[in-house]
Amino acid sequence: MSGGGGDERSVAQKLFAIVDAFAAREELTLTQVAAAANLPVSTAHRMLASWTGWGGLERTESGTYRVGIKLWRLGARRTTVERLRAIARPYLEDLLEATEENVHIAVRDGLGAVYLERISSPNAVRVISDVGTRLPLHATGVGLVLLAHSPIEVFDEVVASKPRQYLPNTITEEKALRRRLAEIRATGLSRSVEEMTPGAFSMAAPVVDAHGEVVAAVSIIAHVERLAEPQFALGVRMAARGISGALGR
């Protein structure tokens, strides 16, 4: 039997040890998992039940175990995010050079937009968004683009959550928000003026994958005094199209 007394690992460490066991082999028996994770068979059996119940692992008809769909999706998503950041970077740098403000790329995570990348010039308007920041969909340029192209259930959840009005221009009322999203879908561009950050405006455009699905949004956040300058709308559209084209290759 593996895993004798005196094992001081936490429950989480033991659970991770079970997952690590599948790095070397695609399928393992209960005994093999217990040996690889250095656990008693009874403990390994209990923890495998937890993993399979959650969907991280699955049990085959022959009784062996393999990585389940949830872990596979998480791994695939991580790979996709890293690829998206790498592809987007040169386009964001070009956009920064053209505008000298803040440029971002973000993806939807539930009812929020998570910023994967942000680069800024020294003179850019001050913003709260940074890499890893999660902001609400209804109050940000990238968030509105992502919400506009999300399933209707996501919109319903946003409305039901009683979205916060951060500034007087933040749209929170259902009918107004619905009209706003329809406009974004029709024009391919979101324009937000002082909805999250005082003295700033945002322009954002969707990024699509090889299947035409919106997977991210690119945005510029700039000083509101520069709102009429033409390079912002043109630049964010070109960056989004460039990233979309590269994703499709």
Side-chain angles (χ1 to χ4, degrees):
M1 179 185 295
S2 301
D7 190 340
E8 297 181 354
R9 291 177 295 175
S10 67
V11 172
Q13 287 173 322
K14 292 174 183 177
L15 285 167
F16 294 145
I18 286 178
V19 176
D20 285 340
F22 290 87
R25 294 183 60 179
E26 193 169 312
E27 291 188 15
L28 295 170
T29 65
L30 168 59
T31 303
Q32 289 170 331
V33 170
N38 193 29
L39 291 169
V41 171
S42 59
T43 302
H45 184 267
R46 185 173 65 252
M47 291 187 166
L48 281 167
S50 296
W51 273 118
T52 54
W54 176 70
L57 298 174
E58 61 183 32
R59 193 176 184 188
T60 69
E61 292 183 359
S62 63
T64 61
Y65 294 86
R66 64 188 176 196
V67 172
I69 190 66
K70 279 197 175 181
L71 280 181
W72 184 87
R73 282 176 177 166
L74 287 172
R77 184 177 182 185
R78 178 65 180 172
T79 301
T80 300
V81 165
E82 290 177 349
R83 179 170 179 257
L84 182 57
R85 286 186 67 187
I87 287 173
R89 183 74 190 194
Y91 295 95
L92 297 180
E93 289 173 348
D94 288 346
L95 192 55
L96 176 66
E97 184 176 351
T99 63
E100 297 185 335
E101 291 282 359
N102 304 282
V103 297
H104 306 82
I105 187 165
V107 296
R108 183 173 70 84
D109 179 39
L111 302 186
V114 175
Y115 291 78
L116 303 184
E117 190 67 275
R118 168 194 160 190
I119 51 178
S120 308
S121 77
N123 298 320
V125 65
R126 294 177 64 88
V127 294
I128 61 174
S129 52
D130 204 347
V131 175
T133 302
R134 187 178 185 273
L135 294 178
L137 296 175
H138 75 283
T140 59
V142 289
L144 285 165
V145 167
L146 295 167
L147 182 57
H149 295 280
S150 294
I152 187 62
E153 293 81 9
V154 177
F155 175 81
D156 292 340
E157 286 187 57
V158 168
V159 173
S161 71
K162 298 181 179 179
R164 173 183 170 186
Q165 185 170 30
Y166 291 87
L167 293 172
N169 288 347
T170 310
I171 296 177
T172 60
E173 194 271 328
E174 180 179 355
K175 289 184 179 179
L177 188 56
R178 195 183 295 275
R179 288 194 298 270
R180 179 78 172 280
L181 299 180
E183 179 185 354
I184 291 170
R185 286 190 292 269
T187 63
L189 188 72
S190 168
R191 191 178 88 159
S192 307
V193 182
E194 293 187 296
E195 294 190 43
M196 174 63 76
T197 304
F201 78 92
S202 169
M203 288 193 183
V207 173
V208 300
D209 63 13
H211 306 289
E213 298 291 326
V214 173
V215 294
V218 173
S219 75
I220 304 165
I221 302 179
H223 292 85
V224 72
E225 294 83 2
R226 304 184 66 189
L227 182 59
E229 296 180 28
Q231 70 269 31
F232 294 104
L234 177 62
V236 79
R237 287 182 191 273
M238 291 181 63
R241 288 173 184 169
I243 297 168
S244 299
L247 276 177
R249 290 199 288 269

